[in-house]
Amino acid sequence: MAAPESGDGNNGAARMVTLISSDNTRFEVEAAAASLSQTLQLTILDGGGGGGDGIPLPNVDSATLSKVLEYCIKHAPAAANGGAPNATAVDRAELERFDNEFVNIDQSVLYSLIMAAHNLEIEGLQSLVAKKVADMIKGKSPMEIRRTLGFPDPTPEEQAEMNAHMLEYGWAYE
Amino acid sequence: MPSSSSRRRSHKKRCSLTMEARDWASLPRDILVDVFLKLGPCREIMRGAERACTAWRRVAVDEPLLWRRIDINAGSSSGLAMARAAVDRSRGQCEAFSGPVDEDSLIYLVESAPSLKSLHLSYGQVGSEILKMALEKLTLLEDLEISTAYSSANLFKSICQARPHLEKLRVTFPDDDNKFWGSCDSEFYDGGLREFSTMCELRSLELFEFELSTEGLKAILDNCPLLELLHVFGSFFDFEEMDEELELKCARVKNLILPFDGDEDDYGYYGEPWGWGQSSEDEFY
């Protein structure tokens, strides 16, 4: 699990790195887990993030980073096996159960998570949250989507653009 | 767990941040593309998402990536209109099309989407000449599926001549109600299967609501050396006993299902599948 700063993380076999959230919270995590982020991978390979240094993440707050790392820690072992070609069905089912549970969250948390996953380029997480958002709007009318996601009311210009769109594509819609 | 001196913010500040952060309408474009790609059939975007706000609309209309795989499962005039709009938006990048066509829209499709690898046609009537002309333009096509509202004596001839390198072919013939449209010659029932010519890369062939003759079966087996899967559902027509040679040819196909003749004369009769191998669980896009 993510832990508060401990100065150095080299007390065991696994190499540790420190990530610093936008609100200055330090998270110590195994390098293998943090490396699920394409954005961080090179820095970590170059030996960054160890010791007292830490890698600053100015776009990710601590609550979101904690959630992101929960995902990375869970998925790191499978990723280390190269997508786990020899993973058992039980392992895969367990990861799937974890994923389903993981995105069963408040919309605002989901929003922060989708931005962070994108920012950090964590492929599996990007895909997972995109699927969750897609499921939230699937089968819904435009009005229901607006309500579900709390879109602001359109400005007159936006309304005019939508009206023109409906004129252009109206025939396709019923 | 995280330790921070500034962990607790005032409630007011948290709220305003949350509201700001939750502006789903202005999600970055590539995130929105990820989400749209997971929506499935095109109507989810066309009838829902793209009409929710202007930012979403622009992404839907301007991003060809979203329309590389077009899947329109509506078989009406609005389905045709949606298909056309989707093809336009793909700007020549469409690789897989599954949806309704008529003759005009098929011509438009192949001219607008020359890189198609997979083509699944439903709805409407397309004559074998138009079909042949259209298929000739799709040089990259690997996978063809046709659910035809009527049958033509030249169906297989057109397909084989236009695209002899197809890997996968699936044809659903008209059901009972439509069977007698247009023609009454005997080849009508099997799309002119005897005219089946060399399909040197065909690995998978599936025929539904089909009347298979011994001769037709021979034509398939003789012309498709790489065939791994042959599924025919429907009934036998003009079927003679299989001789040893034909049985040997059948045995070369790993996954074979043929209709059971039985005593039924009904065209609509579906017997127990008869054959070697296991039934396929292939998902067809």
Side-chain angles (χ1 to χ4, degrees):
Chain A
M1 255 324 274
E5 181 190 3
S6 63
D8 77 271
N10 279 329
N11 53 357
R15 185 185 149 204
M16 305 298 279
V17 292
T18 302
L19 308 178
I20 307 166
S21 68
S22 61
D23 46 357
N24 272 321
T25 307
R26 299 176 73 91
F27 292 81
E28 201 182 17
V29 61
E30 282 187 18
S35 295
L36 289 196
S37 155
Q38 294 291 316
T39 315
L40 297 179
Q41 205 174 52
L42 272 186
T43 313
I44 293 170
L45 275 177
D46 282 350
D53 287 348
I55 304 171
L57 303 173
N59 296 320
V60 188
D61 67 29
S62 57
T64 309
L65 186 54
S66 159
K67 188 84 179 152
V68 168
L69 292 177
E70 185 188 339
Y71 175 90
C72 290
I73 289 163
K74 186 76 183 179
H75 279 262
N81 285 342
N86 50 4
T88 65
V90 177
D91 291 341
R92 280 197 299 270
E94 161 60 17
L95 272 187
E96 204 179 309
R97 189 205 57 78
F98 170 86
D99 284 353
N100 288 338
E101 195 60 34
F102 186 76
V103 288
N104 193 8
I105 44 177
D106 196 69
Q107 254 183 44
S108 60
V109 183
L110 185 67
Y111 186 93
S112 307
L113 201 57
I114 202 169
M115 298 299 277
H118 182 68
N119 197 276
L120 295 169
E121 291 179 70
I122 303 166
E123 209 183 311
L125 185 57
Q126 284 175 285
S127 172
L128 178 65
V129 283
K131 175 80 169 52
K132 172 70 179 181
V133 179
D135 288 344
M136 283 162 57
I137 60 181
K138 209 173 264 185
K140 289 197 166 73
S141 71
M143 209 51 194
E144 287 167 334
I145 294 173
R146 299 182 60 84
R147 260 201 305 269
T148 304
L149 297 179
F151 284 8
D153 288 334
T155 63
E157 291 78 20
E158 287 171 337
Q159 193 53 57
E161 186 177 329
M162 294 318 291
N163 291 347
H165 178 84
M166 287 306 291
L167 271 181
E168 187 179 354
Y169 292 103
W171 39 256
Y173 297 131
E174 224 54 70
Chain B
M1 283 313 286
S3 68
S4 167
S5 54
S6 61
R7 209 164 76 188
R8 297 199 67 80
R9 298 195 196 97
S10 78
H11 178 67
K12 197 177 164 190
K13 192 175 171 197
R14 272 238 291 260
C15 268
S16 72
L17 269 180
T18 310
M19 288 312 287
E20 192 185 341
R22 268 178 43 198
D23 194 357
W24 293 93
S26 46
L27 272 179
R29 187 183 183 101
D30 33 5
I31 294 184
L32 203 50
V33 168
D34 277 355
V35 171
F36 282 5
L37 282 173
K38 295 207 183 285
L39 276 175
C42 296
R43 72 173 142 71
E44 289 284 350
I45 299 179
M46 289 187 150
R47 291 191 172 159
E50 74 179 34
R51 292 158 65 197
C53 71
T54 54
W56 287 29
R57 184 198 82 80
R58 288 175 201 167
V59 172
V61 172
D62 293 336
E63 182 52 78
L65 192 64
L66 291 174
W67 309 97
R68 275 205 187 154
R69 303 186 72 82
I70 295 174
D71 182 5
I72 310 267
N73 49 12
S76 57
S77 58
S78 80
L80 286 175
M82 282 168 76
R84 189 170 181 123
V87 168
D88 285 341
R89 291 175 185 186
S90 74
R91 305 214 188 105
Q93 293 185 28
C94 181
E95 290 176 1
F97 177 93
S98 174
V101 291
D102 57 17
E103 292 192 338
D104 288 344
S105 70
L106 179 60
I107 291 168
Y108 186 75
L109 172 65
V110 299
E111 276 167 3
S112 313
S115 322
L116 278 174
K117 291 195 183 99
S118 168
L119 178 61
H120 294 189
L121 304 176
S122 59
Y123 181 67
Q125 300 193 10
V126 176
S128 53
E129 277 309 303
I130 299 282
L131 181 67
K132 187 177 172 212
M133 208 178 78
L135 292 178
E136 276 166 352
K137 290 192 195 278
L138 300 176
T139 51
L140 300 177
L141 196 68
E142 296 167 358
D143 165 18
L144 174 64
E145 182 173 330
I146 299 180
S147 300
T148 172
Y150 80 119
S151 178
S152 142
N154 291 319
L155 182 69
F156 287 112
K157 193 176 172 188
S158 301
I159 295 172
C160 296
Q161 286 183 357
R163 290 267 61 88
H165 298 286
L166 274 185
E167 291 172 18
K168 202 163 164 183
L169 174 62
R170 180 173 162 127
V171 185
T172 302
F173 283 81
D175 57 23
D176 287 357
D177 295 341
N178 296 320
K179 217 153 217 172
F180 296 100
W181 287 9
S183 167
C184 50
D185 72 66
S186 66
E187 288 185 346
F188 173 72
Y189 304 115
D190 67 358
L193 190 57
R194 269 163 283 188
E195 303 252 21
F196 208 93
S197 57
T198 307
M199 298 283 269
C200 51
E201 286 171 39
L202 195 70
R203 283 167 173 82
S204 169
L205 175 62
E206 293 176 280
L207 306 170
F208 295 86
E209 309 254 7
F210 191 73
E211 298 182 7
L212 183 68
S213 64
T214 315
E215 229 180 304
L217 182 59
K218 274 184 190 145
I220 293 172
L221 296 168
D222 288 342
N223 284 294
C224 308
L226 296 185
L227 200 63
E228 292 167 1
L229 182 149
L230 174 60
H231 289 183
V232 184
F233 294 95
S235 56
F236 281 126
F237 174 76
D238 191 20
F239 200 79
E240 298 156 21
E241 281 293 303
M242 283 223 253
D243 57 25
E244 202 175 324
E245 192 192 345
L246 188 55
E247 281 191 17
L248 278 174
K249 282 177 186 168
C250 283
R252 286 207 308 262
V253 180
K254 266 193 284 190
N255 190 332
L256 179 73
I257 297 176
L258 298 176
F260 176 65
D261 195 9
D263 296 315
E264 305 279 337
D265 292 326
D266 284 355
Y267 291 125
Y269 173 71
Y270 289 89
E272 288 295 311
W274 170 86
W276 296 272
Q278 292 181 316
S279 91
S280 161
E281 286 178 9
D282 278 5
E283 284 293 324
F284 276 83
Y285 160 75

Short mmCIF file of all heavy atoms in Angstrom, two decimals, chain B residues 231-253:
data_model
loop_
_atom_site.label_atom_id
_atom_site.label_comp_id
_atom_site.label_asym_id
_atom_site.label_seq_id
_atom_site.Cartn_x
_atom_site.Cartn_y
_atom_site.Cartn_z
N HIS B 231 -20.01 -24.61 -42.16
CA HIS B 231 -21.28 -24.81 -41.46
C HIS B 231 -22.41 -24.51 -42.43
O HIS B 231 -22.47 -23.42 -42.99
CB HIS B 231 -21.41 -23.86 -40.26
CG HIS B 231 -20.50 -24.22 -39.12
ND1 HIS B 231 -20.50 -23.53 -37.94
CD2 HIS B 231 -19.58 -25.21 -38.98
CE1 HIS B 231 -19.61 -24.08 -37.12
NE2 HIS B 231 -19.03 -25.09 -37.72
N VAL B 232 -23.28 -25.49 -42.62
CA VAL B 232 -24.44 -25.25 -43.46
C VAL B 232 -25.69 -25.57 -42.66
O VAL B 232 -25.83 -26.68 -42.14
CB VAL B 232 -24.41 -26.11 -44.74
CG1 VAL B 232 -25.60 -25.76 -45.63
CG2 VAL B 232 -23.10 -25.91 -45.50
N PHE B 233 -26.58 -24.60 -42.54
CA PHE B 233 -27.85 -24.83 -41.85
C PHE B 233 -28.97 -24.67 -42.86
O PHE B 233 -28.93 -23.78 -43.69
CB PHE B 233 -28.02 -23.85 -40.70
CG PHE B 233 -27.02 -24.05 -39.60
CD1 PHE B 233 -25.84 -23.31 -39.57
CD2 PHE B 233 -27.23 -25.01 -38.62
CE1 PHE B 233 -24.90 -23.51 -38.57
CE2 PHE B 233 -26.29 -25.22 -37.63
CZ PHE B 233 -25.13 -24.46 -37.60
N GLY B 234 -29.97 -25.53 -42.77
CA GLY B 234 -31.07 -25.50 -43.72
C GLY B 234 -31.46 -26.93 -44.03
O GLY B 234 -31.75 -27.69 -43.13
N SER B 235 -31.43 -27.28 -45.31
CA SER B 235 -31.79 -28.66 -45.63
C SER B 235 -31.02 -29.11 -46.88
O SER B 235 -30.41 -28.31 -47.57
CB SER B 235 -33.29 -28.75 -45.88
OG SER B 235 -33.65 -27.85 -46.90
N PHE B 236 -31.10 -30.42 -47.13
CA PHE B 236 -30.51 -30.94 -48.34
C PHE B 236 -31.49 -30.83 -49.48
O PHE B 236 -32.69 -31.03 -49.31
CB PHE B 236 -30.12 -32.42 -48.16
CG PHE B 236 -28.84 -32.58 -47.41
CD1 PHE B 236 -28.78 -33.39 -46.28
CD2 PHE B 236 -27.70 -31.94 -47.83
CE1 PHE B 236 -27.60 -33.55 -45.60
CE2 PHE B 236 -26.50 -32.09 -47.15
CZ PHE B 236 -26.47 -32.90 -46.02
N PHE B 237 -30.98 -30.50 -50.64
CA PHE B 237 -31.81 -30.37 -51.82
C PHE B 237 -31.21 -31.26 -52.87
O PHE B 237 -30.01 -31.17 -53.15
CB PHE B 237 -31.80 -28.91 -52.29
CG PHE B 237 -32.52 -28.67 -53.56
CD1 PHE B 237 -33.91 -28.65 -53.58
CD2 PHE B 237 -31.82 -28.44 -54.73
CE1 PHE B 237 -34.59 -28.41 -54.76
CE2 PHE B 237 -32.49 -28.22 -55.91
CZ PHE B 237 -33.88 -28.20 -55.94
N ASP B 238 -32.03 -32.13 -53.42
CA ASP B 238 -31.53 -32.97 -54.50
C ASP B 238 -30.26 -33.70 -54.05
O ASP B 238 -29.24 -33.70 -54.72
CB ASP B 238 -31.22 -32.06 -55.71
CG ASP B 238 -30.93 -32.88 -56.97
OD1 ASP B 238 -31.34 -34.05 -56.98
OD2 ASP B 238 -30.29 -32.35 -57.89
N PHE B 239 -30.35 -34.29 -52.86
CA PHE B 239 -29.13 -34.83 -52.27
C PHE B 239 -28.99 -36.32 -52.56
O PHE B 239 -29.89 -37.11 -52.31
CB PHE B 239 -29.15 -34.59 -50.76
CG PHE B 239 -27.78 -34.69 -50.16
CD1 PHE B 239 -26.90 -33.62 -50.26
CD2 PHE B 239 -27.36 -35.84 -49.50
CE1 PHE B 239 -25.63 -33.70 -49.72
CE2 PHE B 239 -26.09 -35.93 -48.97
CZ PHE B 239 -25.21 -34.85 -49.08
N GLU B 240 -27.83 -36.67 -53.07
CA GLU B 240 -27.56 -38.09 -53.30
C GLU B 240 -26.69 -38.62 -52.18
O GLU B 240 -26.09 -37.86 -51.45
CB GLU B 240 -26.82 -38.26 -54.63
CG GLU B 240 -27.60 -37.78 -55.83
CD GLU B 240 -26.67 -37.41 -56.99
OE1 GLU B 240 -25.52 -37.88 -57.00
OE2 GLU B 240 -27.12 -36.64 -57.86
N GLU B 241 -26.62 -39.92 -52.11
CA GLU B 241 -25.74 -40.54 -51.11
C GLU B 241 -24.33 -40.02 -51.27
O GLU B 241 -23.85 -39.82 -52.38
CB GLU B 241 -25.72 -42.06 -51.32
CG GLU B 241 -26.93 -42.76 -50.75
CD GLU B 241 -26.99 -42.69 -49.24
OE1 GLU B 241 -26.02 -43.14 -48.59
OE2 GLU B 241 -27.99 -42.16 -48.71
N MET B 242 -23.67 -39.80 -50.14
CA MET B 242 -22.29 -39.38 -50.23
C MET B 242 -21.43 -40.59 -50.59
O MET B 242 -21.52 -41.62 -49.95
CB MET B 242 -21.81 -38.86 -48.89
CG MET B 242 -22.31 -37.47 -48.64
SD MET B 242 -20.98 -36.50 -47.96
CE MET B 242 -21.50 -36.38 -46.31
N ASP B 243 -20.63 -40.46 -51.61
CA ASP B 243 -19.72 -41.56 -51.89
C ASP B 243 -18.46 -41.40 -51.05
O ASP B 243 -18.28 -40.42 -50.34
CB ASP B 243 -19.40 -41.65 -53.39
CG ASP B 243 -18.81 -40.35 -53.92
OD1 ASP B 243 -18.23 -39.60 -53.11
OD2 ASP B 243 -18.96 -40.09 -55.13
N GLU B 244 -17.60 -42.38 -51.16
CA GLU B 244 -16.42 -42.41 -50.29
C GLU B 244 -15.51 -41.20 -50.55
O GLU B 244 -14.96 -40.60 -49.64
CB GLU B 244 -15.64 -43.70 -50.55
CG GLU B 244 -14.74 -44.08 -49.39
CD GLU B 244 -14.08 -45.43 -49.64
OE1 GLU B 244 -14.73 -46.32 -50.24
OE2 GLU B 244 -12.91 -45.57 -49.24
N GLU B 245 -15.43 -40.83 -51.82
CA GLU B 245 -14.57 -39.72 -52.19
C GLU B 245 -15.04 -38.42 -51.52
O GLU B 245 -14.24 -37.66 -50.97
CB GLU B 245 -14.60 -39.58 -53.73
CG GLU B 245 -13.53 -38.65 -54.25
CD GLU B 245 -13.76 -38.31 -55.72
OE1 GLU B 245 -14.56 -39.00 -56.38
OE2 GLU B 245 -13.15 -37.33 -56.19
N LEU B 246 -16.35 -38.22 -51.57
CA LEU B 246 -16.90 -37.01 -50.97
C LEU B 246 -16.70 -37.02 -49.45
O LEU B 246 -16.40 -36.00 -48.83
CB LEU B 246 -18.39 -36.86 -51.33
CG LEU B 246 -19.06 -35.55 -50.94
CD1 LEU B 246 -18.30 -34.34 -51.50
CD2 LEU B 246 -20.50 -35.51 -51.41
N GLU B 247 -16.88 -38.21 -48.87
CA GLU B 247 -16.67 -38.30 -47.43
C GLU B 247 -15.24 -37.97 -47.05
O GLU B 247 -15.00 -37.30 -46.04
CB GLU B 247 -17.03 -39.71 -46.93
CG GLU B 247 -18.53 -39.90 -46.78
CD GLU B 247 -18.89 -41.18 -46.06
OE1 GLU B 247 -18.00 -41.75 -45.39
OE2 GLU B 247 -20.04 -41.61 -46.17
N LEU B 248 -14.31 -38.41 -47.86
CA LEU B 248 -12.90 -38.10 -47.60
C LEU B 248 -12.65 -36.59 -47.69
O LEU B 248 -11.94 -36.01 -46.88
CB LEU B 248 -12.00 -38.83 -48.59
CG LEU B 248 -11.71 -40.29 -48.24
CD1 LEU B 248 -10.94 -40.96 -49.38
CD2 LEU B 248 -10.89 -40.38 -46.94
N LYS B 249 -13.28 -35.99 -48.69
CA LYS B 249 -13.12 -34.55 -48.85
C LYS B 249 -13.70 -33.82 -47.63
O LYS B 249 -13.13 -32.85 -47.13
CB LYS B 249 -13.83 -34.07 -50.12
CG LYS B 249 -13.04 -34.36 -51.38
CD LYS B 249 -13.81 -33.93 -52.61
CE LYS B 249 -13.06 -34.36 -53.86
NZ LYS B 249 -13.88 -34.21 -55.07
N CYS B 250 -14.83 -34.30 -47.17
CA CYS B 250 -15.45 -33.70 -45.98
C CYS B 250 -14.53 -33.82 -44.77
O CYS B 250 -14.44 -32.91 -43.95
CB CYS B 250 -16.78 -34.37 -45.66
SG CYS B 250 -18.12 -33.88 -46.74
N ALA B 251 -13.87 -34.96 -44.68
CA ALA B 251 -13.04 -35.23 -43.51
C ALA B 251 -11.86 -34.27 -43.41
O ALA B 251 -11.28 -34.09 -42.34
CB ALA B 251 -12.55 -36.68 -43.54
N ARG B 252 -11.51 -33.64 -44.52
CA ARG B 252 -10.40 -32.67 -44.49
C ARG B 252 -10.79 -31.38 -43.78
O ARG B 252 -9.93 -30.62 -43.36
CB ARG B 252 -9.96 -32.34 -45.92
CG ARG B 252 -9.18 -33.44 -46.60
CD ARG B 252 -8.24 -32.83 -47.65
NE ARG B 252 -8.96 -31.94 -48.57
CZ ARG B 252 -9.39 -32.32 -49.78
NH1 ARG B 252 -9.18 -33.53 -50.20
NH2 ARG B 252 -10.00 -31.46 -50.56
N VAL B 253 -12.08 -31.13 -43.69
CA VAL B 253 -12.54 -29.89 -43.03
C VAL B 253 -12.65 -30.15 -41.54
O VAL B 253 -13.42 -31.00 -41.10
CB VAL B 253 -13.92 -29.46 -43.60
CG1 VAL B 253 -14.38 -28.18 -42.92
CG2 VAL B 253 -13.84 -29.28 -45.10
#
